[in-house]
Each structure stands twice: as C-alpha cells, then as structure tokens.
Amino acid sequence: MLHVAPYLLSFSTLLYTVVGAPQHDQATNGPSSVPGSIQCYRLASDFPPSSQWVSWQTLIDTSRPDMVGISNSGPDEADAAIAAVQAVSQSAGLDPRIVFAVMMQESSGKVRPIVGDYGKSYGLLQAQIPGIPLCDDYSKNECPEDVITSQIKFGVFGHDGNGSPVAPGLAYWMEAQAGDVSRSLRGYNTGSVPDPNDLTKAGAATVSYVSDVANRLTGALVGAKHQATCSLSSSIVLCCFFIVRYATNNFTLNTDYTFQGWMRLDPSAADGNMRWQSYEPKQWQETDVDIKITHTGIYASDIHTLRSGWAATVYPCCVGHEIVGQAVEVGSKVEGGIKVGVCVRVGAQSSSCLKPDCEECSNSVENHCQTSVNTYDDKYPGGSKSYGGYADYWRGPSHSGRTPPRSVNLLISTVSSPDMPLEQYLQLLRVHRTFIEVGAPEDKVPAFNAFALIANGVKIDGSAIGAPAEIRETLDLTVKKNVKAWINARPLKEANEAVVDMGANEARYRYVLVNENHAK
C-alpha cells in the first residue's frame, strides 16, 4: 500500500538495534534452483532479476480467473484493470509486470477490494489517498473504465494526472531508488526504506511484502493466493516478543497452520454463495488462544449478518458464534485454566474492556460493556477484524473462551420472524412470569393486545448474550442435569447448503457445522 507519510517509529530499526542483524536462512534465501518455487527474498541482492520473471501474458493468464472468479467483480472490469495497468505503466516508463504484481498483492485484482488497510478500501493499488475514486457505488461489471484507470494512476503517480502528487507512488519510488525494484517496493509498502539491503525491515508494515511481490513476478505466487513468504527466525521472534510486548503488548505469532473459512463477500452469501478463502486473524496477544475448530452452530443471526439484514455487514466476514474446538496455542496470560489440547467453547462475544472503572465489567456483566467486541464482523482495539467459526481455526481473547464438556443452548424464544404469534405466546405464561425474546427479527415484532400482559401480570424481557459467569452457570447446570442438545450435524464443506436450509426453516433444531478434518 502507498503511504502518505513514513512511520514515526520504525520497529524494525529498534529490533535491529537491540538484537543485531537478522540471521538469514541460507536454505531459503536467494533465487531458487527450482523455477516457480516460493522463496523468501530477504536481501536486496537476492531479489530476482527480470530475466527470472514470468511473461506479461503468463501473469494475466494465471491471475485473470481469480480477478473475475468472485461475485463482486465482472469480466469487463477485470479487463479494464489489465488495460489500465498496461497504459499507465507505459506512460510512467515502468515494466507493467511490476505494477500488475503489486495490484494482485494489494487487492487480488478486485475492483471492489474486500480487504482494505485499516478497514477502508483504497482501490486496486490500495493507494491511501483520500478522495480516490472507487467502484463500490457501481453495480457489478459496470464500474467506468476511467474510475478503474484512476485507481491505477493514483497508485503509480500519487495522483490521477490532474495536479501535483498527493503521496509518493510507485513511479516516485522507482526514481528515488534509481530503478531498484526491490527497494522501490519496500518504499511503496512502508513509506520509507528503513534498510536498503534488508528487505524485511518494514517498520510497522508487512515484513514479507517485497518477497511476496517477487514471488508473484517469478510465478510462484499466483492469482488471489496470499502467503507470507518471509518470517523471522525463532531466536529473533523470542527477542521480538519482549520488545513488542514492551511497546505494543502484541506481536505476530508464527504457526504451522493457516486461518481459512467460509467468507461472506456480498449479500448473496446468504443464498449459498460464501467463498472458502484465507484471512488474517487478530494480532496475537499473550491473553489469546488459538482454537482448532471441530463444531460450529448455525444461528439466525448468521443469516441476518450474511445478507446485511440488521445493518450493513463489513466484508469479508466469516460468521459463526457458537464455536467448539481444541486449544492449539495459548498465551502466557490466558484465563480459565485453558491449556493446549483442552476443549474450548466461544460464544457471541469475543472480548470486553475488563477495566475496573467499567460499570458493566466490574459487575460481571461484560456482555453489556460499551466497548465489547462481537465474535465476528467487529473490530478489536488496535484495528484487527474479528472472524467467526465457519472456519478451520479461531483466534481471540481467552476470557471469552470456556472449557465445558459440551456445548448447549438454554433459550426461551429464538424466533427471528416478524410473523411470530407473540400474543399467543404471552397467554401461555403463568402469573408474574417473564417472556424473554432472544431472536431478533429484521422487521418490527407484531402488535398485541395489552390484556396479554395485564391479565396475568407478565413481563417481556430480552437478551442478546449472557455474561461469562452466567454462561458458566448454565453449562454447569447442563452437566448436572445431563441436558442434551438436539442438533443436525452438517459437514463444514456443506456450509453454503446449510445456510440456505437454515433460511428455509429446515433445521430440527440446531444446525451444527462439523469440521471433519478436526472432529476425529
């Protein structure tokens, strides 16, 4: 991404000063002896020369299917983006393969990028410039060519050709770095070149960015696929942990598993059009836990969110807030006695502030905390997005995780239809009893006669989720009374079909997605 100004603090410089120069893995450093294999190009001298890049046509042939293979981009728009890269690159005197590889790295070539910096999209080259024209306001395959071309111009020139550059683009960095592609990429991504030799010096930006683009140029990384092709060595990660904890209390955890799930890219996801793809989990903190998901319940709230029924959903979104799985990574400050290997359950709330001066958190009703974070379609403090359980793995604060022997629901009314016979429900209550509504229809609840309340002095109450203490109490009761859940198990691979069946009221009475790769 193009940055308007360089970072005030370069964490990479701090790391270099404290622990010394990174130790390079000679087995993965430098050009590969096997053409097309993914490599980590840490040093500027290792960056592959243009003679090792694939041809322009190969880049197009391997990338265009992904550019049009999603529901929010059209073939005409993809072709317009390709043509714009060629034209703008020629006018800037740049090799179009460089611009195209950057475009695929930044937006996967999607004219309506589903992942934007800091939760905001800045177009095909993610040029962080206010006012950049976007395609979001146009229907699929109807974004004007000049809008698409303008996005490429902003990324290459820092403006659209009408005025002075608002920020340094690719062309600026290529000139400033005397045509050195590797250092120009570092500058474009970071806003500066912290170390002209070590390409992993990235400040607060993406460590492997230059290497990732290099792998696209050599044909090792193609299309919408994303992979961090460089990582710090274990000894540096250990030192890095203490430095980052001191500065920001979080760091990037290197794992041998990837986070993938069924993603909602637009409202049609509720019609069975979710897409399985990778995503970036929240930034790791020592209070977090990683869960290998075995089961996830399907709720009406998932359907509402998939189709933006309650409010506009921020895509990409992975729904699912009744998660059960096995802890595979735990931080040093986890709560609730969670250890690697134990069963962990996560509900609809991922975190709350837990501050002593918070009236809700200090009184054990964290579910009403004003700064709570939902398990999906929400953001953690610091900007990381929350993703749900229609996935292989889940990461979040351990405070929201519990270690029950099984998962179960204890609800009064979960009806989410505005056509519910509410008055008849109220008439079923005994004197001074309470009707609790948990379901949330997208429209108003039906009107009813006041005597449905007055006759027996009944009350109507509502609840979204329970506090952690209430959840523990409920789960203890289910174990004590041997309460069983009445579910329909569906394979995770059938999530799209299950969502459609859920919308058609086919569940009897709870669909649960089973990750057959983990539930063994």
Short mmCIF file of all heavy atoms in Angstrom, two decimals, residues 262 274 276 293-296 298 389-392 487-499 501 510-519:
data_model
loop_
_atom_site.label_atom_id
_atom_site.label_comp_id
_atom_site.label_asym_id
_atom_site.label_seq_id
_atom_site.Cartn_x
_atom_site.Cartn_y
_atom_site.Cartn_z
N TRP A 262 -15.27 -19.94 5.52
CA TRP A 262 -16.29 -19.55 4.55
C TRP A 262 -16.57 -18.06 4.72
O TRP A 262 -17.05 -17.63 5.76
CB TRP A 262 -17.57 -20.35 4.77
CG TRP A 262 -17.47 -21.78 4.33
CD1 TRP A 262 -17.39 -22.89 5.12
CD2 TRP A 262 -17.47 -22.25 2.98
NE1 TRP A 262 -17.32 -24.02 4.34
CE2 TRP A 262 -17.37 -23.66 3.03
CE3 TRP A 262 -17.54 -21.61 1.73
CZ2 TRP A 262 -17.32 -24.44 1.88
CZ3 TRP A 262 -17.50 -22.40 0.58
CH2 TRP A 262 -17.40 -23.79 0.67
N MET A 274 -21.18 -18.20 -0.13
CA MET A 274 -19.96 -17.92 0.61
C MET A 274 -18.78 -18.54 -0.12
O MET A 274 -18.93 -19.50 -0.87
CB MET A 274 -20.05 -18.50 2.03
CG MET A 274 -21.09 -17.86 2.91
SD MET A 274 -21.14 -18.57 4.58
CE MET A 274 -21.73 -20.24 4.23
N TRP A 276 -14.77 -20.04 0.26
CA TRP A 276 -13.72 -20.53 1.16
C TRP A 276 -12.40 -19.86 0.79
O TRP A 276 -11.92 -19.97 -0.32
CB TRP A 276 -13.59 -22.04 1.03
CG TRP A 276 -12.59 -22.65 1.98
CD1 TRP A 276 -11.28 -22.92 1.74
CD2 TRP A 276 -12.83 -23.04 3.33
NE1 TRP A 276 -10.68 -23.46 2.86
CE2 TRP A 276 -11.61 -23.55 3.86
CE3 TRP A 276 -13.94 -23.02 4.17
CZ2 TRP A 276 -11.49 -24.02 5.16
CZ3 TRP A 276 -13.83 -23.50 5.47
CH2 TRP A 276 -12.61 -23.99 5.95
N ILE A 293 -11.04 -25.62 15.28
CA ILE A 293 -12.49 -25.75 15.37
C ILE A 293 -12.96 -27.15 14.95
O ILE A 293 -12.56 -27.65 13.90
CB ILE A 293 -13.18 -24.68 14.51
CG1 ILE A 293 -12.78 -23.28 14.98
CG2 ILE A 293 -14.69 -24.84 14.54
CD1 ILE A 293 -13.24 -22.17 14.07
N THR A 294 -13.81 -27.73 15.78
CA THR A 294 -14.42 -29.02 15.43
C THR A 294 -15.90 -28.86 15.08
O THR A 294 -16.41 -29.54 14.21
CB THR A 294 -14.29 -30.02 16.59
OG1 THR A 294 -14.92 -29.49 17.77
CG2 THR A 294 -12.83 -30.31 16.89
N HIS A 295 -16.60 -27.95 15.78
CA HIS A 295 -18.03 -27.76 15.56
C HIS A 295 -18.39 -26.28 15.68
O HIS A 295 -17.81 -25.55 16.49
CB HIS A 295 -18.87 -28.54 16.57
CG HIS A 295 -18.66 -30.01 16.54
ND1 HIS A 295 -17.57 -30.61 17.16
CD2 HIS A 295 -19.38 -31.03 15.97
CE1 HIS A 295 -17.63 -31.93 16.97
NE2 HIS A 295 -18.71 -32.20 16.26
N THR A 296 -19.38 -25.86 14.87
CA THR A 296 -19.90 -24.50 14.93
C THR A 296 -21.39 -24.52 14.68
O THR A 296 -21.85 -25.10 13.69
CB THR A 296 -19.24 -23.60 13.86
OG1 THR A 296 -17.84 -23.60 14.04
CG2 THR A 296 -19.76 -22.17 13.97
N ILE A 298 -25.07 -23.04 13.63
CA ILE A 298 -25.60 -22.07 12.68
C ILE A 298 -26.78 -21.37 13.35
O ILE A 298 -27.71 -22.03 13.81
CB ILE A 298 -26.05 -22.73 11.37
CG1 ILE A 298 -24.86 -23.37 10.66
CG2 ILE A 298 -26.72 -21.70 10.45
CD1 ILE A 298 -25.22 -24.03 9.34
N GLY A 389 -16.75 -18.73 13.34
CA GLY A 389 -16.44 -20.15 13.43
C GLY A 389 -16.69 -21.01 12.21
O GLY A 389 -16.44 -22.22 12.26
N TYR A 390 -17.15 -20.43 11.08
CA TYR A 390 -17.28 -21.23 9.87
C TYR A 390 -15.88 -21.38 9.27
O TYR A 390 -15.60 -20.94 8.16
CB TYR A 390 -18.18 -20.54 8.84
CG TYR A 390 -19.66 -20.50 9.15
CD1 TYR A 390 -20.14 -20.68 10.43
CD2 TYR A 390 -20.58 -20.26 8.14
CE1 TYR A 390 -21.50 -20.62 10.70
CE2 TYR A 390 -21.94 -20.19 8.39
CZ TYR A 390 -22.39 -20.37 9.67
OH TYR A 390 -23.75 -20.30 9.94
N ALA A 391 -15.00 -21.96 10.00
CA ALA A 391 -13.59 -21.92 9.64
C ALA A 391 -12.84 -23.10 10.24
O ALA A 391 -13.39 -23.92 10.98
CB ALA A 391 -12.97 -20.61 10.12
N ASP A 392 -11.55 -23.17 9.90
CA ASP A 392 -10.67 -24.20 10.46
C ASP A 392 -10.15 -23.83 11.84
O ASP A 392 -10.02 -24.68 12.72
CB ASP A 392 -9.47 -24.44 9.53
CG ASP A 392 -9.76 -25.45 8.44
OD1 ASP A 392 -10.72 -26.24 8.61
OD2 ASP A 392 -9.05 -25.46 7.42
N ILE A 487 -29.53 -31.57 17.77
CA ILE A 487 -28.86 -30.91 16.65
C ILE A 487 -28.97 -31.74 15.37
O ILE A 487 -29.30 -32.92 15.39
CB ILE A 487 -27.37 -30.66 16.95
CG1 ILE A 487 -26.62 -32.00 17.03
CG2 ILE A 487 -27.20 -29.85 18.22
CD1 ILE A 487 -25.12 -31.84 17.10
N ASN A 488 -28.70 -31.07 14.27
CA ASN A 488 -28.48 -31.72 12.98
C ASN A 488 -27.06 -31.42 12.56
O ASN A 488 -26.72 -30.27 12.28
CB ASN A 488 -29.43 -31.18 11.91
CG ASN A 488 -30.89 -31.35 12.27
OD1 ASN A 488 -31.63 -30.40 12.30
ND2 ASN A 488 -31.31 -32.57 12.58
N ALA A 489 -26.20 -32.41 12.53
CA ALA A 489 -24.80 -32.21 12.15
C ALA A 489 -24.67 -32.13 10.64
O ALA A 489 -25.22 -32.95 9.92
CB ALA A 489 -23.94 -33.35 12.70
N ARG A 490 -23.96 -31.10 10.16
CA ARG A 490 -23.70 -30.93 8.73
C ARG A 490 -22.20 -30.74 8.53
O ARG A 490 -21.55 -30.02 9.31
CB ARG A 490 -24.44 -29.69 8.20
CG ARG A 490 -25.96 -29.71 8.36
CD ARG A 490 -26.62 -30.64 7.37
NE ARG A 490 -26.47 -30.21 6.00
CZ ARG A 490 -27.37 -29.44 5.36
NH1 ARG A 490 -28.44 -28.99 6.00
NH2 ARG A 490 -27.19 -29.13 4.08
N PRO A 491 -21.61 -31.33 7.50
CA PRO A 491 -20.17 -31.13 7.24
C PRO A 491 -19.87 -29.67 6.95
O PRO A 491 -20.67 -28.97 6.31
CB PRO A 491 -19.91 -32.02 6.01
CG PRO A 491 -21.04 -33.00 5.99
CD PRO A 491 -22.21 -32.27 6.55
N LEU A 492 -18.72 -29.19 7.39
CA LEU A 492 -18.33 -27.80 7.15
C LEU A 492 -18.31 -27.49 5.66
O LEU A 492 -18.62 -26.37 5.25
CB LEU A 492 -16.96 -27.54 7.77
CG LEU A 492 -16.37 -26.13 7.59
CD1 LEU A 492 -17.29 -25.08 8.21
CD2 LEU A 492 -14.98 -26.03 8.20
N LYS A 493 -17.95 -28.47 4.83
CA LYS A 493 -17.88 -28.24 3.39
C LYS A 493 -19.26 -27.96 2.79
O LYS A 493 -19.37 -27.46 1.67
CB LYS A 493 -17.24 -29.44 2.69
CG LYS A 493 -18.02 -30.74 2.84
CD LYS A 493 -17.29 -31.92 2.22
CE LYS A 493 -18.04 -33.22 2.40
NZ LYS A 493 -17.30 -34.38 1.85
N GLU A 494 -20.33 -28.26 3.55
CA GLU A 494 -21.69 -28.01 3.08
C GLU A 494 -22.27 -26.74 3.69
O GLU A 494 -23.49 -26.57 3.78
CB GLU A 494 -22.60 -29.20 3.41
CG GLU A 494 -22.24 -30.48 2.69
CD GLU A 494 -23.18 -31.64 3.06
OE1 GLU A 494 -24.18 -31.39 3.77
OE2 GLU A 494 -22.91 -32.77 2.64
N ALA A 495 -21.40 -25.81 4.14
CA ALA A 495 -21.87 -24.61 4.82
C ALA A 495 -22.85 -23.80 3.96
O ALA A 495 -23.86 -23.29 4.47
CB ALA A 495 -20.69 -23.74 5.22
N ASN A 496 -22.58 -23.68 2.68
CA ASN A 496 -23.47 -22.90 1.81
C ASN A 496 -24.86 -23.53 1.75
O ASN A 496 -25.87 -22.83 1.85
CB ASN A 496 -22.88 -22.80 0.40
CG ASN A 496 -21.85 -21.68 0.28
OD1 ASN A 496 -22.11 -20.57 0.71
ND2 ASN A 496 -20.70 -21.97 -0.30
N GLU A 497 -24.92 -24.85 1.60
CA GLU A 497 -26.21 -25.53 1.55
C GLU A 497 -26.93 -25.42 2.89
O GLU A 497 -28.16 -25.22 2.95
CB GLU A 497 -26.02 -27.01 1.18
CG GLU A 497 -25.52 -27.24 -0.23
CD GLU A 497 -23.99 -27.20 -0.34
OE1 GLU A 497 -23.34 -26.71 0.62
OE2 GLU A 497 -23.47 -27.65 -1.36
N ALA A 498 -26.17 -25.54 4.00
CA ALA A 498 -26.77 -25.48 5.33
C ALA A 498 -27.36 -24.11 5.61
O ALA A 498 -28.42 -23.98 6.24
CB ALA A 498 -25.73 -25.84 6.39
N VAL A 499 -26.67 -23.06 5.13
CA VAL A 499 -27.18 -21.70 5.32
C VAL A 499 -28.51 -21.52 4.59
O VAL A 499 -29.46 -20.92 5.12
CB VAL A 499 -26.15 -20.67 4.83
CG1 VAL A 499 -26.78 -19.29 4.65
CG2 VAL A 499 -25.00 -20.57 5.82
N ASP A 501 -30.65 -23.93 3.81
CA ASP A 501 -31.66 -24.73 4.53
C ASP A 501 -32.08 -24.05 5.83
O ASP A 501 -33.25 -24.13 6.23
CB ASP A 501 -31.09 -26.12 4.84
CG ASP A 501 -30.90 -26.96 3.58
OD1 ASP A 501 -31.47 -26.60 2.55
OD2 ASP A 501 -30.15 -27.96 3.65
N ARG A 510 -31.14 -27.42 15.60
CA ARG A 510 -29.94 -26.59 15.51
C ARG A 510 -28.97 -27.23 14.54
O ARG A 510 -28.55 -28.37 14.73
CB ARG A 510 -29.27 -26.47 16.87
CG ARG A 510 -27.92 -25.79 16.85
CD ARG A 510 -28.04 -24.31 16.49
NE ARG A 510 -28.74 -23.58 17.53
CZ ARG A 510 -29.48 -22.51 17.31
NH1 ARG A 510 -29.61 -22.04 16.07
NH2 ARG A 510 -30.09 -21.89 18.29
N TYR A 511 -28.66 -26.52 13.46
CA TYR A 511 -27.62 -26.99 12.56
C TYR A 511 -26.26 -26.74 13.21
O TYR A 511 -25.99 -25.65 13.73
CB TYR A 511 -27.66 -26.24 11.22
CG TYR A 511 -28.70 -26.76 10.25
CD1 TYR A 511 -29.41 -25.88 9.43
CD2 TYR A 511 -28.94 -28.12 10.12
CE1 TYR A 511 -30.35 -26.33 8.53
CE2 TYR A 511 -29.90 -28.59 9.23
CZ TYR A 511 -30.60 -27.69 8.43
OH TYR A 511 -31.52 -28.15 7.54
N VAL A 512 -25.41 -27.72 13.16
CA VAL A 512 -24.05 -27.61 13.67
C VAL A 512 -23.09 -28.04 12.57
O VAL A 512 -23.18 -29.16 12.06
CB VAL A 512 -23.82 -28.47 14.93
CG1 VAL A 512 -22.35 -28.42 15.34
CG2 VAL A 512 -24.70 -27.99 16.07
N LEU A 513 -22.19 -27.14 12.19
CA LEU A 513 -21.19 -27.46 11.18
C LEU A 513 -20.07 -28.26 11.81
O LEU A 513 -19.48 -27.84 12.81
CB LEU A 513 -20.63 -26.19 10.54
CG LEU A 513 -21.63 -25.34 9.76
CD1 LEU A 513 -20.97 -24.06 9.27
CD2 LEU A 513 -22.20 -26.12 8.58
N VAL A 514 -19.77 -29.40 11.25
CA VAL A 514 -18.73 -30.29 11.78
C VAL A 514 -17.51 -30.22 10.87
O VAL A 514 -17.60 -30.55 9.68
CB VAL A 514 -19.23 -31.75 11.88
CG1 VAL A 514 -18.14 -32.64 12.46
CG2 VAL A 514 -20.49 -31.83 12.72
N ASN A 515 -16.40 -29.78 11.40
CA ASN A 515 -15.14 -29.75 10.64
C ASN A 515 -14.56 -31.16 10.69
O ASN A 515 -13.90 -31.56 11.65
CB ASN A 515 -14.18 -28.74 11.26
CG ASN A 515 -12.99 -28.47 10.37
OD1 ASN A 515 -12.48 -29.38 9.71
ND2 ASN A 515 -12.52 -27.24 10.34
N GLU A 516 -14.81 -31.92 9.66
CA GLU A 516 -14.44 -33.33 9.66
C GLU A 516 -12.94 -33.56 9.66
O GLU A 516 -12.47 -34.65 9.98
CB GLU A 516 -15.09 -34.03 8.45
CG GLU A 516 -16.61 -34.03 8.54
CD GLU A 516 -17.27 -34.66 7.32
OE1 GLU A 516 -16.81 -34.37 6.19
OE2 GLU A 516 -18.22 -35.44 7.49
N ASN A 517 -12.16 -32.53 9.31
CA ASN A 517 -10.71 -32.66 9.37
C ASN A 517 -10.20 -32.61 10.81
O ASN A 517 -9.10 -33.10 11.10
CB ASN A 517 -10.04 -31.53 8.57
CG ASN A 517 -10.29 -31.66 7.08
OD1 ASN A 517 -10.36 -32.77 6.55
ND2 ASN A 517 -10.43 -30.54 6.40
N HIS A 518 -10.99 -31.99 11.70
CA HIS A 518 -10.56 -31.83 13.09
C HIS A 518 -11.36 -32.67 14.07
O HIS A 518 -10.85 -33.03 15.13
CB HIS A 518 -10.66 -30.36 13.49
CG HIS A 518 -9.78 -29.46 12.70
ND1 HIS A 518 -9.95 -28.09 12.66
CD2 HIS A 518 -8.70 -29.72 11.92
CE1 HIS A 518 -9.03 -27.55 11.89
NE2 HIS A 518 -8.26 -28.52 11.42
N ALA A 519 -12.64 -32.94 13.76
CA ALA A 519 -13.50 -33.67 14.70
C ALA A 519 -13.34 -35.17 14.48
O ALA A 519 -14.17 -35.83 13.86
CB ALA A 519 -14.95 -33.25 14.51
#
